[in-house]
Amino acid sequence: MIATTALVGGSLLLAPAANAAVASGETPNDLGLTGADVMTHLAELSEITESFAAEGFRAWDSPGYEAAAEYAEDVLETTGAFTVTRDEFEVPYTDLGEASLTVDGKTYEGSHFDLSEGIDGDLTADLALPSPNAAGLREGCASTDYATVPAGAIVLVQRGTCTFEEKIDLATAAGAGAVFVYNNARPEAEGTTPQDQLTNVASGPRNTDDSPAATLPQASGEAIAALISAAPADEPVEGTAVIEKEFLVGTSFNIIADSIAGDPDGTIAIGAHLDGVAEGPGVNDNGSGSAAILALAEKIAASEVPNDKRIRLALWGAEEIGLLGSTAYVDQLVAEDPAELARISAYLNYDMIGSENFTVGVYDADQSSSEAPVDIPDGSAEIEDVYTDYFDAIDQPWIDTEYSGRSDYQAFIENGIASGGLFSGADDIKTDEQVQLFGGTAGVFMDRNYHTENDTLANVSRASVDIFAPAIGHAAYALAWNAVEPTPTPEPTPTAEPTVSPTAEPTATAAPTAGPSASATPVPGSKGSGGSLARTGSEVDGSPLPLIGAGMLAFGLLVAAGTAIARRRTQQQ
């Protein structure tokens, strides 16, 4: 819970020149930022990352991350327009070994929950199932389901209805020696099979009193459950569980670059995460957003008119294992320098802008397409307008993407800072309607290479980057140049449908994959499918708002202090 100490008046200011240009139908000011500028840095980040393929690519604790960071720092410092620092933070992580269950001489390979307990050595015990519910499923969502489970048994539980955390807690209360949750039949759109793992998913905060727990594929769980059910009551099936896991603490760092020009009392923060997953080079996720930040820095430095507000560029670390870098940064401000936190009037987030089967997604701060699962700070809808007005002015189709807080803007919005951003899509299925707007392929992921070894430069859509880059430049200009006094905040008004002329096809077509995988060193907060923090592109066409006038709107800035904020992923059922 946030300890609230003050409500400080803040203002999000929009450049009147930018709005006038949009309103008059002229090309909006985008600082001259182009897709080519972004691709120049993306190619460098790709080459750096690929050179460390054998050492975890650009994962938070890898030499590839250090090399990419050094490149980014050099680019930022070379502009001469920024003061560049490293911001270190602690990283709790897990060193994962084997997760398996051996029955009748056959070993069934499993996977880990992110913060569940492991086994010291191995555990051999009788196997048991919770009682079936009314639908005949053994989901283990009530304490009575474990009435016949003997103490010390290895319990197999089906996925479904209640969270993994609840299943583990209930089995623990019944005295289970270990718990294995096996997958159920998945929707066809997920592209999964009964052999696919529930990989590194969330099971709630760590509880050292819980029974050790891991996961199994659907086919494995059903095969073992059939053996348990067929065994005589006086001759239970025995199994051996192995769940190897060690909890450790390391360090990583963010890169923070403050513009020398601009009023620090009205700071505009703009960020992207620099780390990737260990499974692949992460060129789109999120080399693309990081490259955009570097290209933007060069355009800010080259501007003949210096920015009126201070611009703080951030390249976040350890996003893929729980939004750790951005969270640590904001938490430190909350605890140690709330006045500096109050100076940040807006945060813009760029996490994946080059998806091969892209859509042009804008964070849906006005909730015109879907209700957000988080509280949206005042001023965020006006940031959405900055993007949508820009796209409408150049006749570029766009859609709403869920304002979920499931990227590095989470810590900012939890502390009342107006936030917005852009997103080209990940593991959401592209619809026929979206193909009409943006081209590409319906019925498959927006990025079929997400969190895989195929997230390479060859599979980044140049067409997508070309669309997003100038929008990123425009948003920076709109918020950080020609600041004026705020005007009262009006009530939001209903909006029209977006433009419908299609954009170009993605530049590269990747082979479909079985689905995204997660980081090998997980903690709560990472994005992805199957229980992690997936960003969800709306399947409803977006609703551009009317053009807003000169001067952005006043809003209150909630400053939290005292206690750290514990953030957890929504628990998967």
Side-chain angles (χ1 to χ4, degrees), residues 336-424:
E336 300 178 10
D337 197 353
E340 180 59 29
L341 182 68
R343 294 186 184 101
I344 303 175
S345 58
Y347 174 70
L348 308 180
N349 193 63
Y350 302 118
D351 192 350
M352 301 174 65
I353 62 167
S355 303
E356 46 88 25
N357 196 29
F358 71 93
T359 57
V360 178
V362 181
Y363 292 178
D364 186 17
D366 65 1
Q367 304 180 85
S368 57
S369 291
S370 61
E371 183 177 354
V374 296
D375 292 332
I376 300 177
D378 291 342
S380 300
E382 287 74 30
I383 294 176
E384 181 185 3
D385 291 342
V386 171
Y387 297 115
T388 59
D389 289 351
Y390 168 79
F391 287 134
D392 290 344
I394 64 170
D395 296 325
Q396 170 58 54
W398 56 273
I399 62 170
D400 286 318
T401 187
E402 183 184 34
Y403 198 100
S404 66
R406 294 174 179 176
S407 186
D408 285 306
Y409 64 114
Q410 182 187 68
F412 290 90
I413 65 175
E414 287 186 347
N415 286 279
I417 296 174
S419 299
L422 301 173
F423 178 48
S424 59

Side-chain angles (χ1 to χ4, degrees), residues 311-331:
I311 298 174
R312 176 167 296 160
L313 302 179
L315 293 174
W316 306 116
E319 187 272 354
E320 292 289 1
I321 57 170
L323 313 178
L324 299 188
S326 54
T327 297
Y329 176 77
V330 175
D331 282 353

Side-chain angles (χ1 to χ4, degrees), residues 160-473:
T161 304
C162 59
T163 67
F164 297 141
E165 181 181 3
E166 291 172 308
K167 296 174 191 291
I168 295 169
D169 286 348
L170 289 169
T172 298
V179 184
F180 281 84
V181 179
Y182 62 97
N183 214 346
N184 54 8
R186 306 307 302 150
E188 185 176 344
E190 286 188 9
T192 60
T193 73
Q195 285 72 39
D196 286 330
Q197 291 281 4
L198 279 168
T199 305
N200 301 332
V201 291
S203 59
R206 186 183 181 194
N207 183 348
T208 56
D209 293 329
D210 274 349
S211 301
T215 74
L216 289 171
Q218 176 187 346
S220 299
E222 290 177 348
I224 299 171
L227 293 175
I228 298 171
S229 298
D234 58 349
E235 297 181 19
V237 178
E238 193 175 71
T240 299
V242 176
I243 305 175
E244 297 174 339
K245 177 182 294 185
E246 185 177 7
F247 290 88
L248 302 167
V249 177
T251 60
S252 189
F253 60 90
N254 305 311
I255 298 171
I256 306 297
D258 277 349
S259 66
I260 296 170
D263 181 1
D265 285 335
T267 299
I268 304 299
I270 307 172
H273 73 88
L274 181 61
D275 68 308
V277 295
E279 288 83 0
V283 177
N284 185 35
D285 183 20
N286 183 36
S288 62
S290 298
I293 295 294
L294 298 180
L296 176 62
E298 293 173 330
K299 295 302 182 182
I300 292 169
S303 175
E304 294 182 1
V305 179
N307 42 294
D308 294 289
K309 288 189 171 188
R310 178 174 64 184
I311 298 174
R312 176 167 296 160
L313 302 179
L315 293 174
W316 306 116
E319 187 272 354
E320 292 289 1
I321 57 170
L323 313 178
L324 299 188
S326 54
T327 297
Y329 176 77
V330 175
D331 282 353
Q332 184 176 26
L333 292 180
V334 169
E336 300 178 10
D337 197 353
E340 180 59 29
L341 182 68
R343 294 186 184 101
I344 303 175
S345 58
Y347 174 70
L348 308 180
N349 193 63
Y350 302 118
D351 192 350
M352 301 174 65
I353 62 167
S355 303
E356 46 88 25
N357 196 29
F358 71 93
T359 57
V360 178
V362 181
Y363 292 178
D364 186 17
D366 65 1
Q367 304 180 85
S368 57
S369 291
S370 61
E371 183 177 354
V374 296
D375 292 332
I376 300 177
D378 291 342
S380 300
E382 287 74 30
I383 294 176
E384 181 185 3
D385 291 342
V386 171
Y387 297 115
T388 59
D389 289 351
Y390 168 79
F391 287 134
D392 290 344
I394 64 170
D395 296 325
Q396 170 58 54
W398 56 273
I399 62 170
D400 286 318
T401 187
E402 183 184 34
Y403 198 100
S404 66
R406 294 174 179 176
S407 186
D408 285 306
Y409 64 114
Q410 182 187 68
F412 290 90
I413 65 175
E414 287 186 347
N415 286 279
I417 296 174
S419 299
L422 301 173
F423 178 48
S424 59
D427 57 348
D428 300 298
I429 303 298
K430 195 167 192 177
T431 67
D432 290 330
E433 293 78 10
Q434 291 164 354
V435 171
Q436 290 297 313
L437 293 175
F438 310 110
T441 305
V444 300
F445 292 146
M446 295 176 189
D447 190 340
R448 288 164 282 189
N449 311 301
Y450 175 59
H451 281 190
T452 76
E453 63 184 4
N454 296 318
D455 187 2
T456 63
L457 187 65
N459 289 324
V460 167
S461 169
R462 176 61 185 271
S464 180
V465 175
D466 285 344
I467 292 168
F468 281 100
I472 290 169

